[in-house]
Amino acid sequence: MPARPPERTAADLLTTFGAAPHQTPRQPPTSAKRGRVNRPTAPLRGHARPGHGWSPVLAPLPVYQASTREIGGLFPLLVASPMPAVGARIGYDVQSGGAFYCHPVEWVLRNGLATNPNIAMFGEPGRGKSSTVVAFALRMLNFGVRTLISGDVKGEYTPVVRALGATPIELGAGNHARVNALDLGPLTARWDTWTVRRQRDELSSVLGRWVQLLAALAESQRHPPSVSDEAALAAVLRRLVGASDGYTRLRPITIPDVHRELASPDPQLWRDLRYESRHDFLHQLRPMTDALANLISGALAGMFDAPTTVAIDWDAPVQSMDLSRLRSRGDTAVAVALTCLGAWSSLATGLRDDGDIRIVVRDECWRQLRLGPRAVAAIDAELRLSRLEKIIQILVLHKLSDLYSVGATGSQAVAIAKDLIALCSTRVLFGQSTRVADDLADALALTGPEHQRLTGPVNERRGRALWKTENHPAHLVQTVLSSFEKRLFDTNAQLRPTAGRGGGVGRSRG
Ligand SMILES: Nc1ncnc2c1ncn2[C@@H]1O[C@H](COP(=O)(O)OP(=O)(O)OP(=O)(O)O)[C@@H](O)[C@H]1O
Ligand SMILES: [Mg+2]
């Protein structure tokens, strides 16, 4: 029988793969009892002398020096995560096994891991997007970061809000809550404390948002507003709010007020806007006026066109606006509601003065994008303000084509929609079909291995996603939900049999 070759040492192995490693000479063991190698050389807690800690092997240790090329061969599983361990602990990095944390604001501040704190999530239905949002929001509470769910179409977040002791704002059938889409919000209370210059700046920013909002709403009624329509809207809004009377006091206005001004203009208005006659004004602006009339009398009548009766509770850890009762009124109604709420909550969020970081979640925002280019422009404007207003905006979408459904290929609307991705430094990519994954890989410039993970390992479990921040390598992360979170946010509850004891956890809406 041939003799067994002698075992190779680490030094031999390294020499095989590259240059001979430099090794510090190892001192022969001084112990009298040679032969045994597993004998402790120190008491359990080490020698009670400086520099003599616990030592499981003979000291001094052999030290090798080699380049990372060879060391990579020797310790193939060692990977350090470049993401800082700060913020919400989401779960674990599937490849390294290390914990994965997310704090988008810190990512902006540290090492330029991201350029803005916004997050875009993509994934097929049921992959765990909303669950990851809940986990993130709950865990960011430890850092004093509170969350606003700007339109919860399915009412999924309601149990979470209630479990935290807050009351969600519920809009829709059988509920008397009203939100004025043109609410002045905290602006009225602060008005007197501001300088004239600040008043002018704040007001023009609010008027600009309102024009965008009304234009988006008109577009939802299949009337794309022209530049002249927008000019008329701006003039009407300024007059109604009292901005043209020397900024004394702001008057509250509603959409029916705007409609009334357009439907029966006073001579000063049409002259100021350079129309030839009252008839000319009415004729030119008829489509815009009718679009607003449809909103007032349509499926959302009374909901966004009357004075606000609810207030955002800024002290609530998580606050949401539940739109689940609106679903029966159709997709357009839901999309219009999301747009109105987005405008209302962004005004309120932008003007709060606590200086805290806030998370604003736009779940199911693909519904809003379908309203048209103006709705996209409204979201675009919010995303651009996030750093200034200390807001982490989270957009939840299904697929990339949600962004392209806003207009014809190559149109300006599609260009703005594509820009939305650029305004979200962090992209969280959940499981997708191969075709959608190909689109995403293309648009987000994923590398080959990242693309492969998107069609493979990402699909292995719910809550698994590729987290990618701009030009940094992606991390395959598994969101880990606690049993409490799973119970609280079980969006599959309605699919489980409820009869008998075998029934699942039913979500209570009460
Ligand atoms: N990380 C996870 N671990 C275990 N279960 C999960 C995880 N993520 C999600 N789930 C479960 O999967 C189900 C669907 O999750 P979720 O509602 O978050 O999906 P979604 O992607 O938001 O779907 P949709 O696009 O329809 O809103 C829920 O019942 C949730 O409890
Ligand atoms: Mg969801």
Side-chain angles (χ1 to χ4, degrees):
M1 209 173 141
R4 249 178 97 193
E7 281 179 5
R8 287 189 295 170
T9 63
D12 295 337
L13 276 171
L14 285 173
T15 313
T16 314
F17 286 103
H22 171 76
Q23 186 186 352
T24 53
R26 184 176 161 178
Q27 302 298 323
T30 49
S31 166
K33 294 180 186 161
R34 293 178 185 210
R36 278 189 67 179
V37 289
N38 60 348
R39 181 176 298 283
T41 55
L44 202 57
R45 289 169 183 276
H47 298 290
R49 287 203 304 276
H52 288 74
W54 184 81
S55 168
V57 289
L58 293 177
L61 294 175
V63 175
Y64 298 98
Q65 283 181 344
S67 76
T68 44
R69 213 175 99 218
E70 288 95 38
I71 290 297
L74 198 62
F75 301 112
L77 299 178
L78 268 191
V79 201
S81 173
M83 306 307 267
V86 57
R89 190 153 77 168
I90 298 292
Y92 59 89
D93 184 322
V94 175
Q95 277 168 322
S96 71
F100 183 84
Y101 298 78
C102 173
H103 196 317
V105 174
E106 286 295 326
W107 288 355
V108 175
L109 297 177
R110 294 190 190 202
N111 315 331
L113 285 168
T115 49
N116 63 60
N118 303 326
I119 300 177
M121 289 191 177
F122 292 92
E124 286 174 340
R127 287 290 182 177
K129 301 180 293 297
S130 308
S131 305
T132 297
V133 168
V134 167
F136 176 62
L138 293 179
R139 296 165 198 185
M140 285 303 274
L141 280 175
N142 293 332
F143 302 88
V145 179
R146 281 166 283 181
T147 298
L148 177 70
I149 314 289
S150 184
D152 174 11
V153 177
K154 300 186 205 152
E156 297 166 335
Y157 295 87
T158 294
V160 180
V161 176
R162 288 197 195 284
L164 293 169
T167 311
I169 297 170
E170 291 183 88
L171 296 163
N175 213 299
H176 298 298
R178 300 278 177 272
V179 167
N180 177 10
L182 304 180
D183 199 306
L184 283 162
L187 204 69
T188 333
R190 314 260 174 78
W191 191 252
D192 291 333
T193 63
W194 287 335
T195 60
V196 173
R197 189 184 170 154
R198 174 97 196 258
Q199 287 178 345
R200 204 170 39 228
D201 288 351
E202 295 285 355
L203 191 63
S204 43
S205 130
V206 169
L207 289 177
R209 286 183 189 194
W210 283 349
V211 171
Q212 281 297 331
L213 171 68
L214 292 177
L217 297 183
E219 208 167 51
S220 75
Q221 306 301 308
R222 289 181 296 284
H223 168 59
S226 65
V227 186
S228 311
D229 289 341
E230 287 190 27
L233 285 175
V236 167
L237 288 169
R238 290 186 78 79
R239 285 162 65 97
L240 284 170
V241 83
S244 36
D245 331 328
Y247 303 97
T248 44
R249 183 148 292 285
L250 296 180
R251 286 191 290 267
I253 57 170
T254 58
I255 295 179
D257 294 335
V258 179
H259 174 258
R260 205 175 314 113
E261 283 283 304
L262 290 176
S264 46
D266 71 35
Q268 190 64 39
L269 179 64
W270 58 261
R271 279 199 199 103
D272 285 354
L273 288 167
R274 301 190 317 283
Y275 285 91
E276 278 178 16
S277 62
R278 183 172 188 274
H279 177 264
D280 186 26
F281 178 94
L282 290 175
H283 178 69
Q284 302 280 351
L285 292 174
R286 177 182 294 281
M288 184 73 220
T289 315
D290 289 348
L292 292 184
N294 283 352
L295 279 171
I296 301 166
S297 58
L300 295 174
M303 211 160 294
F304 295 101
D305 51 17
T308 306
T309 58
V310 289
I312 298 183
D313 175 6
W314 289 124
D315 294 328
V318 178
Q319 177 60 280
S320 97
M321 297 177 228
D322 184 337
L323 294 177
S324 56
R325 293 172 196 216
L326 273 186
R327 259 184 303 162
S328 58
R329 301 193 187 192
D331 282 350
T332 309
V334 171
V336 168
L338 282 174
T339 312
C340 289
L341 279 186
W344 179 65
S345 58
S346 72
L347 176 65
T349 318
L351 282 173
R352 77 199 194 286
D353 54 5
D354 54 16
D356 292 342
I357 298 172
R358 281 262 154 51
I359 300 169
V360 172
V361 179
R362 294 165 193 274
D363 203 341
E364 307 269 326
C365 83
W366 54 273
R367 291 173 187 270
Q368 187 181 339
L369 292 175
R370 289 190 180 171
L371 268 192
R374 307 288 172 147
V376 180
I379 297 183
D380 180 273
E382 300 310 328
L383 295 183
R384 285 177 196 277
L385 289 174
S386 63
R387 266 185 317 140
L388 195 68
E389 296 181 343
K390 291 177 105 176
I391 295 175
I392 299 168
Q393 299 265 1
I394 305 183
L395 300 188
V396 182
L397 301 148
H398 281 161
K399 49 192 188 305
L400 204 62
S401 55
D402 291 340
L403 297 173
Y404 303 157
S405 56
V406 296
T409 316
S411 65
Q412 196 197 359
V414 171
I416 300 176
K418 281 186 180 170
D419 268 1
L420 287 186
I421 312 180
L423 295 172
C424 296
S425 274
T426 304
R427 294 87 188 243
V428 186
L429 313 174
F430 288 82
Q432 296 281 10
S433 69
T434 315
R435 189 179 50 77
V436 178
D438 291 349
D439 281 353
L440 274 170
D442 214 23
L444 304 180
L446 297 187
T447 61
E450 286 169 349
H451 187 176
Q452 278 165 12
R453 278 186 267 164
L454 196 55
T455 45
V458 160
N459 295 288
E460 281 166 14
R461 281 181 64 182
R462 273 186 305 192
R464 187 165 287 190
L466 213 56
W467 288 64
K468 176 139 177 91
T469 55
E470 278 163 348
N471 301 322
H472 294 268
H475 295 261
L476 185 59
V477 177
Q478 174 67 48
T479 301
V480 179
L481 300 179
S482 68
S483 56
F484 174 71
E485 287 165 344
K486 276 189 197 150
R487 214 170 41 244
L488 210 57
F489 201 80
D490 183 6
T491 55
N492 284 339
Q494 52 278 43
L495 296 178
R496 300 186 212 289
T498 46
R501 288 182 196 284
V505 185
R507 288 189 308 114
S508 141
R509 294 191 38 83

